[in-house]
Amino acid sequence: MSVAVSLKHDFGSFALDVAFEARDACVTALFGPSGAGKTSVINAIAGLIRPDFGRIAIGDRVVFDSRAHIFVPPRRRRVGYVFQDARLFPHLTVAENLLFGWRRAAKRASPQAMGEVWAMLGLDHIKTRYPAALSGGEKSRVALGRALLASPEILLLDEPLAALDTARRNEILPYLERLRDEAKLPMVYVSHAFDEVARLAHEIVVLRNGRVVRQGSVFDMATAEEARGLFGAAPLGALFDAVVETRRDGEGLCILSFAGGRLRISNFAHEAGTKVRVRVRAEDIMLAAEEPRALSANNILAVTVTGIHDADDANADIQISCNGVHMMARITRASTQRLGLGSGQDIFAIIKSVTIDL
């Protein structure tokens, strides 16, 4: 199930002109500053606004087409919407809030599917509470559950973590990651927080002043030299999905398999087959012109230099490719000259530290 969006709308002081596609079972992030038009786009997908021109299709169902005079009302679009504020009914318990979405679903989830949603979001122990007794993270999980139990074909999330403090954000992110990996729905995720997008998304659509200025794979764009200009953050050293291949408990190590090869990291409590997302800071990648010997580092990868850019007066960002996986190392400009680095050169990357997102 994919979602194809092409729309134009004039709000008077602001005009929207956007086209993109959200692919099946992928998280597409709409990224940009406040006022870029992100919420207006998902409101159009949900049917909360009717664009002046354009076409929106969810799978093979056209829900809006200005030329054909098609406008499917929101209740018939099978869209799940999670707002920035949870918008739970205060007079209903958690269980009753969840069943509200289920009762109004065009196709009701089976008891087994309902149980899976409850378990995935960890809602069993709070089902008798009222919203006033919930933390911000718990309210967000209930809002996610209510949207899922409406049996949507696409899930729209409008900055669901923006109102949460750091602790609550860290509480809810693993649930969003699990939702991404298990629900198998196309998701459009609105955010202006680069770290959230790097953890959750597969594709990014960057919006500025109602226009798409860049779109593509999060794995490529997060490690690109222009990341600072696009996201207001320095490029990541590496971002890729991996799978736990095996655990070596006797050595205290875990082997991760990814498109570029294997990584050895400190053991953590997840078994073989677990999917993870790996993030590496650019400063945590060292480069060597020759394969290092007798080194304490566990991860030495053969890579090819694909670009060199001055980061500031003292440092350079070195773009490298590891079997097609894009990475970025930040080293001093003096080291760049000493190693004689140039585009197309085969070298070695030593990864000192990684961050693992489950």
Side-chain angles (χ1 to χ4, degrees), residues 92-95 97 125-135 138:
L92 301 180
T93 65
V94 165
N97 266 282
H125 70 289
I126 61 172
K127 61 184 178 183
T128 60
R129 294 187 199 170
Y130 287 89
L134 301 179
S135 70
E138 289 168 338

Side-chain angles (χ1 to χ4, degrees), residues 201-265:
H202 301 95
E203 304 282 330
I204 304 181
V205 178
V206 182
L207 295 180
R208 297 266 176 81
N209 299 317
R211 302 290 192 276
V212 176
V213 297
R214 183 76 184 273
Q215 62 186 98
S217 161
V218 65
F219 306 108
D220 296 340
M221 291 174 63
T223 57
E225 185 269 335
E226 63 265 37
R228 188 181 298 279
L230 290 172
F231 311 121
L236 288 174
L239 180 69
F240 52 84
D241 286 337
V243 176
V244 177
E245 184 176 296
T246 184
R247 290 174 55 181
R248 296 182 177 177
D249 294 328
E251 300 175 3
L253 293 176
C254 179
I255 310 300
L256 302 182
S257 176
F258 73 109
R262 289 182 174 86
L263 283 181
R264 293 169 175 81
I265 66 167

Side-chain angles (χ1 to χ4, degrees), residues 125-158:
H125 70 289
I126 61 172
K127 61 184 178 183
T128 60
R129 294 187 199 170
Y130 287 89
L134 301 179
S135 70
E138 289 168 338
K139 290 177 182 177
S140 294
R141 283 154 49 197
V142 176
L144 283 169
R146 185 174 62 182
L148 288 173
L149 289 179
S151 299
E153 293 182 339
I154 178 176
L155 192 60
L156 308 175
L157 300 101
D158 187 12

